[in-house]
Amino acid sequence: MAEEAEALAAEAEREDAYTLDRKAVAQILYAVDVEDREQLVALMEPLHAADIADLLEQINAFDRMRLIKLYDKEFDGEILSELDEAIREEVIGILTPQVLADAVRELDSDDVVDLLEDLDGPQQEAILEALEAGDRAAVQQSLTYPEYSAGRLMQREVVMAPEYWNVGEMIDFLRNSDNLPEQFYHIVLVDPKLRPVGNVTLGRLMASRREVLLKSIVSETFHTIPVTQYEGDVAYAFNQYHLISAPVVDENDRLVGQITIDDAMAVLDEENAEDILRLAGVDEESSLSDSVVETTKRRFPWLAVNLVTAVLASLVIAQFEDAIATVVALAVLMPIVASMGGNAGTQSLTVAVRALATKDLTTSNIWRVIRREAAVGLINGCAFAVIMGIVGIVWFGSPALGGVIASAMIINLVIAGLAGIMVPVLLEKAGVDPALASGAFVTTVTDVVGFFAFLGLAVMVLL
Amino acid sequence: MAEEAEALAAEAEREDAYTLDRKAVAQILYAVDVEDREQLVALMEPLHAADIADLLEQINAFDRMRLIKLYDKEFDGEILSELDEAIREEVIGILTPQVLADAVRELDSDDVVDLLEDLDGPQQEAILEALEAGDRAAVQQSLTYPEYSAGRLMQREVVMAPEYWNVGEMIDFLRNSDNLPEQFYHIVLVDPKLRPVGNVTLGRLMASRREVLLKSIVSETFHTIPVTQYEGDVAYAFNQYHLISAPVVDENDRLVGQITIDDAMAVLDEENAEDILRLAGVDEESSLSDSVVETTKRRFPWLAVNLVTAVLASLVIAQFEDAIATVVALAVLMPIVASMGGNAGTQSLTVAVRALATKDLTTSNIWRVIRREAAVGLINGCAFAVIMGIVGIVWFGSPALGGVIASAMIINLVIAGLAGIMVPVLLEKAGVDPALASGAFVTTVTDVVGFFAFLGLAVMVLL
């Protein structure tokens, strides 16, 4: 039994680097069961806060409560930061006020802001009260910036220097400073009005002679971020320009903080996750930790939209009841055309949504892309027209029926390609997230056109 | 006209930070038209290589060729690195051998490797020949590591130090080095066998007194990456543990290079993009720069799979031709049940695929998640059963028909939830990318079950 468990654990490790090891989880839960605090702390010790957060998300609520109570004052603020929002509130509710206060005081101000954003009033206050006065002021200041803005993402600690300093002055300054930030990679050069004018990497600083002017060794790529910029655009800039850290400026271009790439990376990952989930019609904050009720609520709206779409398609079919009663083969074949259109439309709209997100689809190339989608729809439409035409003839022995389904296939795949590109672009123009709403529109188009083209042609040709 | 263009450009800028400005593109293309090289170089000068690459991707092939020929020796190696693979080959073909050689020599070895991977033989050789002997050896060595491995992603330049050094020795060493890498953020401490034992950030180094031992100021989180590790797992580790750079080790745990977060961020973004595209049945290397033929080829396979699925569903319908001929309302309503099942299945499978990618779905919680999906399917199924039951009664005046569609809806949404979670998990177990194949399987299940449940119940109840 133990051997088998070990073999399984080894296999899991080989196949999935970084997945929490099943054996470790079992040992931790056993320590919780027998209330062996010493053993629990020893088992948790090698785990990173992010892994502990994952562990808490994966076990059930009862185990979670017992684990946290037993772990008690070892509970680290970073674990809270890493926790999924869906269970963060629950965990904060379990922690004693003293443990919560200690945990929060360890955190950087930007992490506290991230934590506070999603909590309700009383929990927010409990956390704010736990902070020292200076930190509390910093956090409250950050909360004045709009949600999802650079201001919420930035940290206030920046190492800066006047633009006229040389390397020697800078090194002496750093060597004599008492309170440098925990992590910093650049020195921001500022003009007398505190406007950032360049970045010097610490590596470049170390590699240069003392008399060299800082402004002569600034990084080639220098990018400032407006404090009100949307965090998705911030992440885009980091990825596009390979930034490691970037100064954040207010409306007068004065330095107010900095954003580092690890935070930008987390945002980029979230934005992508949102697109994936929205494209599938799932609320973008969905997570495995959601309860049944919450999950049901998050999925219902999209299904309701789809029901309307499906009923619209049915109304089209209802116009052709007589034809179907006469030639039942129409009922057998009609879902094929609609389904192919739906899939082709989804392909085209997904490429478009992704291209909009990466800013690759612009006014410079939109017409070329639309022409391409139409051409691709036409070619694939013709290919599948031939295939389905043959299927129609072989299956139902009717060349006319084969011709009808072939023609409907071409029409629907061309329309699918066009709708797939134009719907997201128009939604984006209208200020609606294309990932969120495109699917419903495109499917409606391909369903309605699919059924109408197939049944309409059938009436003209067959009856 | 000019004013309108300016107003439009200003609007575009406000709405879409970082989108290439339409006016700038127009000016650049005008300079190409009139062959004004000086003006072209002046207009391109403020643009980052990544933006130039985007510009080249967005204009048509003819403009691209003329622009590159006019830009000539200003062409930077970084632009090649940033270019989409789909047009990289084309661009390399346009560059003169001299310009290509100069461009490539500017690049870091990891970027050259990235460039070479996707080129065909002759172009690969042309680039290898352009490199200096030392760089060529380094690049060829990197190419011996498997594709998509950490070895391909890493750079070989690392700043390391013996673990027994103190801060003063380290600073003196850095200050006296001639060839420090362009960018570095950490010093890797190694034992006598060259195995990494810790990371010291440059910031921490600068903030510490000269006599402090390096090993006493190592970063809390320290993570080494095996050289053969899959790049997706590398990106996951950077995001999970907030790494900025990480040493890469060979099978004997000896230091062979390092990976920095900007490269990991690019990989994470690509992995996410692949999942988005694969879920929609689009080849993961699809891009807007693909030609019509290429795009058609990339989309055809998924549509062919979908055709098989659709025909399977039609075969189910064909079993009920008599029933449909008797009650045509069945043909009108049957797509609704299948469509709702398809959408519910897609929701559930997308959440599952995402959770597998982020390693949140594990053996510890799989059964809880399966139970949750079944419960959500049941609740939403019941809700839509009530709605559709009423629609059935009102529309067709038949409570029996309403009951049939209501029951079929419940059955199909429960099955959709279960298939949506179990198909991706089983595919992952079988070593198949769940993002790639889940959709086809789940849709087949929901189509077949949807039509069979609805029409089968109808035969039992109505006829």
Side-chain angles (χ1 to χ4, degrees), chain A residues 71-104:
Chain A
Y71 200 44
D72 196 39
K73 59 183 189 297
E74 303 293 325
F75 198 95
D76 193 277
E78 303 252 325
I79 305 174
L80 276 185
S81 278
E82 302 284 351
L83 268 181
D84 196 289
E85 288 161 26
I87 62 165
R88 209 188 256 166
E89 277 189 57
E90 175 198 322
V91 169
I92 290 178
I94 298 171
L95 296 172
T96 63
Q98 186 54 44
V99 172
L100 179 62
D102 289 344
V104 170

Short mmCIF file of all heavy atoms in Angstrom, two decimals, chain A residues 71-104:
data_model
loop_
_atom_site.label_atom_id
_atom_site.label_comp_id
_atom_site.label_asym_id
_atom_site.label_seq_id
_atom_site.Cartn_x
_atom_site.Cartn_y
_atom_site.Cartn_z
N TYR A 71 -2.64 25.29 12.45
CA TYR A 71 -1.45 25.99 11.96
C TYR A 71 -1.26 27.31 12.70
O TYR A 71 -0.16 27.75 12.97
CB TYR A 71 -1.61 26.24 10.46
CG TYR A 71 -0.34 26.49 9.69
CD1 TYR A 71 0.80 25.73 9.89
CD2 TYR A 71 -0.29 27.51 8.73
CE1 TYR A 71 1.96 25.96 9.16
CE2 TYR A 71 0.85 27.75 8.00
CZ TYR A 71 1.97 26.98 8.22
OH TYR A 71 3.10 27.22 7.50
N ASP A 72 -2.39 27.94 12.99
CA ASP A 72 -2.49 29.12 13.86
C ASP A 72 -1.47 30.21 13.55
O ASP A 72 -1.46 30.73 12.44
CB ASP A 72 -2.38 28.65 15.32
CG ASP A 72 -2.84 29.73 16.29
OD1 ASP A 72 -3.83 30.41 15.96
OD2 ASP A 72 -2.22 29.88 17.35
N LYS A 73 -0.59 30.52 14.47
CA LYS A 73 0.24 31.71 14.29
C LYS A 73 1.35 31.55 13.26
O LYS A 73 2.05 32.51 12.95
CB LYS A 73 0.81 32.18 15.64
CG LYS A 73 1.67 31.17 16.37
CD LYS A 73 2.09 31.78 17.73
CE LYS A 73 3.13 30.90 18.40
NZ LYS A 73 2.63 29.55 18.73
N GLU A 74 1.52 30.33 12.71
CA GLU A 74 2.47 30.18 11.61
C GLU A 74 1.90 30.77 10.32
O GLU A 74 2.60 30.92 9.32
CB GLU A 74 2.78 28.70 11.34
CG GLU A 74 3.32 27.94 12.52
CD GLU A 74 4.70 28.43 12.90
OE1 GLU A 74 5.46 28.80 12.00
OE2 GLU A 74 4.99 28.46 14.12
N PHE A 75 0.62 31.06 10.29
CA PHE A 75 -0.04 31.49 9.06
C PHE A 75 0.57 32.80 8.56
O PHE A 75 0.62 33.80 9.27
CB PHE A 75 -1.54 31.69 9.31
CG PHE A 75 -2.35 31.72 8.05
CD1 PHE A 75 -2.95 30.58 7.56
CD2 PHE A 75 -2.48 32.90 7.32
CE1 PHE A 75 -3.68 30.60 6.39
CE2 PHE A 75 -3.20 32.93 6.14
CZ PHE A 75 -3.80 31.78 5.68
N ASP A 76 1.00 32.76 7.30
CA ASP A 76 1.78 33.85 6.74
C ASP A 76 0.90 34.76 5.88
O ASP A 76 -0.03 34.29 5.22
CB ASP A 76 2.86 33.19 5.86
CG ASP A 76 3.93 34.14 5.47
OD1 ASP A 76 3.72 34.87 4.48
OD2 ASP A 76 4.97 34.16 6.14
N GLY A 77 1.20 36.05 5.88
CA GLY A 77 0.41 36.99 5.08
C GLY A 77 0.42 36.66 3.60
O GLY A 77 -0.57 36.86 2.90
N GLU A 78 1.56 36.12 3.14
CA GLU A 78 1.68 35.79 1.70
C GLU A 78 0.65 34.76 1.28
O GLU A 78 0.21 34.75 0.14
CB GLU A 78 3.07 35.22 1.42
CG GLU A 78 4.20 36.12 1.84
CD GLU A 78 4.90 36.71 0.63
OE1 GLU A 78 5.00 36.02 -0.39
OE2 GLU A 78 5.32 37.88 0.71
N ILE A 79 0.31 33.85 2.19
CA ILE A 79 -0.68 32.82 1.85
C ILE A 79 -2.00 33.51 1.49
O ILE A 79 -2.64 33.17 0.50
CB ILE A 79 -0.89 31.83 3.02
CG1 ILE A 79 0.43 31.21 3.43
CG2 ILE A 79 -1.90 30.76 2.63
CD1 ILE A 79 0.34 30.33 4.68
N LEU A 80 -2.37 34.50 2.31
CA LEU A 80 -3.60 35.25 2.02
C LEU A 80 -3.54 35.88 0.63
O LEU A 80 -4.50 35.84 -0.13
CB LEU A 80 -3.79 36.36 3.05
CG LEU A 80 -4.47 35.99 4.37
CD1 LEU A 80 -4.68 37.26 5.18
CD2 LEU A 80 -5.81 35.31 4.11
N SER A 81 -2.40 36.50 0.32
CA SER A 81 -2.23 37.14 -0.99
C SER A 81 -2.43 36.16 -2.13
O SER A 81 -2.97 36.51 -3.16
CB SER A 81 -0.81 37.70 -1.13
OG SER A 81 -0.71 38.93 -0.52
N GLU A 82 -1.96 34.94 -1.94
CA GLU A 82 -1.98 33.96 -3.02
C GLU A 82 -3.32 33.25 -3.13
O GLU A 82 -3.60 32.62 -4.15
CB GLU A 82 -0.88 32.91 -2.79
CG GLU A 82 0.53 33.46 -2.70
CD GLU A 82 1.09 33.85 -4.06
OE1 GLU A 82 0.45 33.54 -5.08
OE2 GLU A 82 2.15 34.50 -4.10
N LEU A 83 -4.14 33.35 -2.11
CA LEU A 83 -5.41 32.60 -2.10
C LEU A 83 -6.38 33.10 -3.14
O LEU A 83 -6.47 34.30 -3.41
CB LEU A 83 -6.08 32.72 -0.73
CG LEU A 83 -5.79 31.66 0.32
CD1 LEU A 83 -6.58 31.98 1.57
CD2 LEU A 83 -6.12 30.27 -0.18
N ASP A 84 -7.12 32.18 -3.71
CA ASP A 84 -8.21 32.51 -4.60
C ASP A 84 -9.27 33.33 -3.83
O ASP A 84 -9.59 33.03 -2.68
CB ASP A 84 -8.83 31.17 -5.04
CG ASP A 84 -9.69 31.32 -6.23
OD1 ASP A 84 -10.78 31.91 -6.09
OD2 ASP A 84 -9.29 30.86 -7.30
N GLU A 85 -9.79 34.36 -4.52
CA GLU A 85 -10.75 35.24 -3.84
C GLU A 85 -11.93 34.47 -3.26
O GLU A 85 -12.49 34.85 -2.24
CB GLU A 85 -11.30 36.28 -4.82
CG GLU A 85 -10.29 37.33 -5.18
CD GLU A 85 -10.69 38.04 -6.45
OE1 GLU A 85 -11.91 38.06 -6.73
OE2 GLU A 85 -9.81 38.56 -7.15
N ALA A 86 -12.31 33.40 -3.97
CA ALA A 86 -13.52 32.67 -3.57
C ALA A 86 -13.42 32.14 -2.14
O ALA A 86 -14.44 32.01 -1.46
CB ALA A 86 -13.80 31.53 -4.54
N ILE A 87 -12.20 31.82 -1.68
CA ILE A 87 -12.14 31.30 -0.32
C ILE A 87 -11.33 32.19 0.61
O ILE A 87 -11.15 31.89 1.79
CB ILE A 87 -11.57 29.85 -0.27
CG1 ILE A 87 -10.15 29.80 -0.79
CG2 ILE A 87 -12.46 28.88 -1.02
CD1 ILE A 87 -9.49 28.49 -0.40
N ARG A 88 -10.88 33.34 0.10
CA ARG A 88 -10.10 34.23 0.94
C ARG A 88 -10.93 34.75 2.13
O ARG A 88 -10.47 34.76 3.27
CB ARG A 88 -9.63 35.40 0.08
CG ARG A 88 -8.34 36.00 0.55
CD ARG A 88 -8.07 37.25 -0.23
NE ARG A 88 -7.04 37.06 -1.25
CZ ARG A 88 -6.84 37.94 -2.24
NH1 ARG A 88 -7.62 39.00 -2.36
NH2 ARG A 88 -5.88 37.73 -3.11
N GLU A 89 -12.14 35.15 1.82
CA GLU A 89 -13.02 35.66 2.89
C GLU A 89 -13.23 34.62 3.96
O GLU A 89 -13.17 34.91 5.16
CB GLU A 89 -14.39 36.05 2.31
CG GLU A 89 -14.41 37.42 1.71
CD GLU A 89 -15.83 37.84 1.34
OE1 GLU A 89 -16.69 37.83 2.22
OE2 GLU A 89 -16.06 38.15 0.16
N GLU A 90 -13.48 33.39 3.51
CA GLU A 90 -13.70 32.29 4.45
C GLU A 90 -12.48 32.11 5.36
O GLU A 90 -12.62 32.00 6.58
CB GLU A 90 -13.96 31.00 3.64
CG GLU A 90 -14.08 29.75 4.47
CD GLU A 90 -13.90 28.50 3.59
OE1 GLU A 90 -14.39 28.51 2.44
OE2 GLU A 90 -13.26 27.54 4.05
N VAL A 91 -11.28 32.14 4.75
CA VAL A 91 -10.06 31.93 5.52
C VAL A 91 -9.84 33.07 6.50
O VAL A 91 -9.50 32.85 7.67
CB VAL A 91 -8.84 31.77 4.57
CG1 VAL A 91 -7.54 31.82 5.36
CG2 VAL A 91 -8.96 30.49 3.78
N ILE A 92 -10.08 34.31 6.06
CA ILE A 92 -9.91 35.45 6.96
C ILE A 92 -10.86 35.33 8.15
O ILE A 92 -10.51 35.66 9.28
CB ILE A 92 -10.13 36.78 6.20
CG1 ILE A 92 -8.97 36.99 5.22
CG2 ILE A 92 -10.26 37.95 7.14
CD1 ILE A 92 -9.10 38.23 4.37
N GLY A 93 -12.04 34.79 7.87
CA GLY A 93 -13.01 34.59 8.96
C GLY A 93 -12.54 33.57 9.99
O GLY A 93 -12.93 33.64 11.16
N ILE A 94 -11.69 32.64 9.56
CA ILE A 94 -11.23 31.59 10.48
C ILE A 94 -10.07 32.07 11.36
O ILE A 94 -9.93 31.68 12.50
CB ILE A 94 -10.79 30.33 9.68
CG1 ILE A 94 -11.97 29.75 8.91
CG2 ILE A 94 -10.22 29.26 10.63
CD1 ILE A 94 -11.58 28.64 7.94
N LEU A 95 -9.23 32.94 10.79
CA LEU A 95 -8.04 33.40 11.51
C LEU A 95 -8.44 34.20 12.75
O LEU A 95 -9.40 34.96 12.72
CB LEU A 95 -7.17 34.28 10.60
CG LEU A 95 -6.57 33.60 9.37
CD1 LEU A 95 -5.91 34.64 8.48
CD2 LEU A 95 -5.56 32.55 9.78
N THR A 96 -7.67 34.05 13.83
CA THR A 96 -7.93 34.91 15.00
C THR A 96 -7.45 36.32 14.66
O THR A 96 -6.55 36.50 13.84
CB THR A 96 -7.14 34.41 16.23
OG1 THR A 96 -5.74 34.51 15.93
CG2 THR A 96 -7.51 32.97 16.55
N PRO A 97 -8.05 37.33 15.30
CA PRO A 97 -7.66 38.73 14.98
C PRO A 97 -6.16 38.95 15.10
O PRO A 97 -5.56 39.63 14.28
CB PRO A 97 -8.42 39.54 16.04
CG PRO A 97 -9.60 38.69 16.40
CD PRO A 97 -9.15 37.27 16.26
N GLN A 98 -5.54 38.32 16.13
CA GLN A 98 -4.12 38.52 16.33
C GLN A 98 -3.30 37.95 15.17
O GLN A 98 -2.40 38.60 14.64
CB GLN A 98 -3.71 37.84 17.65
CG GLN A 98 -2.27 38.10 18.06
CD GLN A 98 -1.96 39.59 18.10
OE1 GLN A 98 -2.75 40.38 18.62
NE2 GLN A 98 -0.84 39.99 17.49
N VAL A 99 -3.64 36.73 14.73
CA VAL A 99 -2.92 36.10 13.62
C VAL A 99 -3.11 36.90 12.35
O VAL A 99 -2.18 37.15 11.58
CB VAL A 99 -3.38 34.63 13.42
CG1 VAL A 99 -2.78 34.04 12.15
CG2 VAL A 99 -3.02 33.79 14.63
N LEU A 100 -4.35 37.35 12.11
CA LEU A 100 -4.64 38.16 10.93
C LEU A 100 -3.80 39.42 10.92
O LEU A 100 -3.18 39.78 9.91
CB LEU A 100 -6.14 38.49 10.88
CG LEU A 100 -6.58 39.35 9.70
CD1 LEU A 100 -6.32 38.64 8.38
CD2 LEU A 100 -8.06 39.71 9.80
N ALA A 101 -3.75 40.10 12.07
CA ALA A 101 -3.00 41.36 12.16
C ALA A 101 -1.53 41.12 11.85
O ALA A 101 -0.92 41.85 11.06
CB ALA A 101 -3.17 41.96 13.55
N ASP A 102 -0.95 40.07 12.45
CA ASP A 102 0.47 39.78 12.20
C ASP A 102 0.70 39.45 10.73
O ASP A 102 1.68 39.88 10.13
CB ASP A 102 0.92 38.59 13.06
CG ASP A 102 1.02 38.96 14.53
OD1 ASP A 102 1.04 40.17 14.81
OD2 ASP A 102 1.07 38.05 15.37
N ALA A 103 -0.23 38.65 10.15
CA ALA A 103 -0.07 38.23 8.77
C ALA A 103 -0.08 39.43 7.84
O ALA A 103 0.74 39.55 6.93
CB ALA A 103 -1.19 37.25 8.39
N VAL A 104 -0.99 40.35 8.08
CA VAL A 104 -1.15 41.49 7.18
C VAL A 104 0.02 42.45 7.29
O VAL A 104 0.46 43.04 6.31
CB VAL A 104 -2.49 42.20 7.46
CG1 VAL A 104 -2.55 43.51 6.73
CG2 VAL A 104 -3.64 41.30 7.08
#
